[in-house]
Amino acid sequence: METISDNTTFKVTNQGFVKLDRFDGSNFTRWKDKLMFLLTILKISYVLDPNLQPFPEPIDKDTKKMIEDRKKREEDELVCRSHILNTLSDRFYDLYTPMKSPREIWNALEFKYKTEKLGKDKFLIFKYFKFSMVDNLSVLDQVHELQVLVTKLLKVKIVLPESFQVGAMISKLPPSWNDYRKKLQHKTEEFTLEEI
């Protein structure tokens, strides 16, 4: 195995370490987090910082350090842009290639998909209330699906009290469970999600 002695080897090693699926418009948050992890490991994520100040135009009196820093920033921006573009599906690659700055690409993607995410968050609430269990699927699988919905709601800061979740779960039981549902609804003691 090669030692990690220079940036090139380091970059190749880490690309194998962080599995990045091509972004095709779905799961933006997951894609963004994975890509940011890779860019952080490569020590180039700083070029996406909205507070990063641009370098002044080169002048004859630039110090050697200033010239080296400018060159490093340009190289880091090029590598960062390439990593972003290389993790996009062909359709998105063609759409975002004309943008020359990695920050411009990043901001455009965030603007588009954060806006869409807000609409999806509202849809989660609708999906939770509309959810009902059916007889032809495993009840445990359906309970798991409902719990995944609750977890997604928590991520968008919608907290459902446990007693509400218990009541919802009972009401969402499949039709073949009507007798059990009625039995649970008429009990006076409180149930936890685990007990249900």
Side-chain angles (χ1 to χ4, degrees), residues 174-188:
S176 65
W177 289 58
N178 276 342
D179 291 340
Y180 185 68
R181 180 186 309 118
K182 287 177 186 173
K183 185 178 169 184
L184 290 175
Q185 287 173 333
H186 290 93
K187 290 203 176 213
T188 54

Side-chain angles (χ1 to χ4, degrees), residues 12 38 47 76 150 161 167 178 193:
V12 170
L38 172 66
V47 302
D76 289 349
V150 170
N178 276 342
L193 280 173

Side-chain angles (χ1 to χ4, degrees), residues 1-4 6-18 38 41-42:
M1 180 174 172
E2 290 182 57
T3 59
I4 301 174
D6 62 41
N7 283 343
T8 305
T9 306
F10 184 68
K11 290 173 187 169
V12 170
T13 301
N14 279 306
Q15 276 186 316
F17 179 67
V18 180
L38 172 66
I41 288 172
L42 298 175

